[in-house]
Structure formats: C-alpha cells, structure tokens
Amino acid sequence: DAQAIALEKSVEYSPGNRDRLFNAAYAQSNENMELLSVKNYLTLLNLDPDHATALNNLAVAASTLDLPGKQVELLDKSKNKGSTLAMSNLANIYIESGLYGDAESILNEARKSEDPHENVGTSLYNLKAKMAKEQEGWTSAIKDAENIQRSIRLYGEAYFDSAKQREWV
C-alpha cells in the first residue's frame, strides 16, 4: 500500500512523467486500488495513446471491475498496437467462450511477432487442451446417443411385436 500511495504522491508532483504514471498505476492495481489505477492509466494514455501495455493493464482493471465489454475493447486496441500479451489475454477470453478459431488466429499472429510474450505459449497449450477435451466429450456424446438410439429401437421392436402378437390372440 505504501508504495502505491508514494507513487501516487510522486505523480502529483510530476504529472507528465509517463514512467511514474505507469509504475503508480501498476502498483495500485497490484494493491487492489483499481479505480486509482484506472485513472492513472487513462492519464498515461492521454499522454501516449499508443502505450500498448497500459491498454492491456487497463483491460485487466476493467475485468476486475466486471466490465467484460470494455475489457475486450481495450485488449483489442492493445492487440492492434502489437501487444502479444494482449493477444494472449484476448485469446483466453475467446477460448473460454468456445471461439477456438478466433483464439487460434490471434495466437498464430502473436507467435509471428519478433518477441512474443511467454503467455502466448501457455494460451496455445490451453487452447489445444480445451479443443481436445471438447472433441473427446463430443465423441463420447455421439457414442452415448448411438447406444440410446439402439436401445430405443430394440425396445420399440419388442414393444410393437408383442402388441401385434396380442392382436392376433
């Protein structure tokens, strides 16, 4: 807390210092001071609209504030500025939503970057694991459906055959 507060005080005396603004916002977000963090990231973005990391971190704050639409909007802006961390974070949202193709496209784009963030590899692994698990579940559901169908048909055959036999008696 003390570091986050001290950095805020230092920003007050040097409001145009981009490094201090970022450091203050980052420390504040780590101390659950999201609203103060948001304000400092926004100030930083007014000074440097292309600050991809600030956009990514602002998206994390939006998530903490339960604003998923704003989170995706900010991650997309950060992605468009070349942040592979934002690409990974956006892909994770897509993975959780079942948008595997979109996630894979973003992660493939991130992998082509000169220096992709380490989370890109983790996200790719999670994507492949989630897709494999879902395919396994789908295959199992189809087998279960075939077994139910076979049982119902056998039951139907026995039921109607016995009904037919009762008519003749």
Side-chain angles (χ1 to χ4, degrees), residues 22 44-45 48-59 74-75 77-86:
F22 181 84
L44 175 56
L45 287 166
D48 183 3
D50 293 329
H51 200 297
T53 306
L55 285 164
N56 178 77
N57 293 1
L58 194 55
L74 291 164
L75 286 173
K77 285 181 181 179
S78 183
K79 172 186 83 81
N80 291 338
K81 307 253 183 246
S83 171
T84 58
L85 175 57

Side-chain angles (χ1 to χ4, degrees), residues 124-141:
L124 272 168
Y125 174 81
N126 291 340
L127 171 63
K128 299 300 181 188
K130 188 102 173 187
M131 289 171 67
K133 184 177 179 183
E134 190 164 304
Q135 183 57 47
E136 188 178 297
W138 184 245
T139 300
S140 177

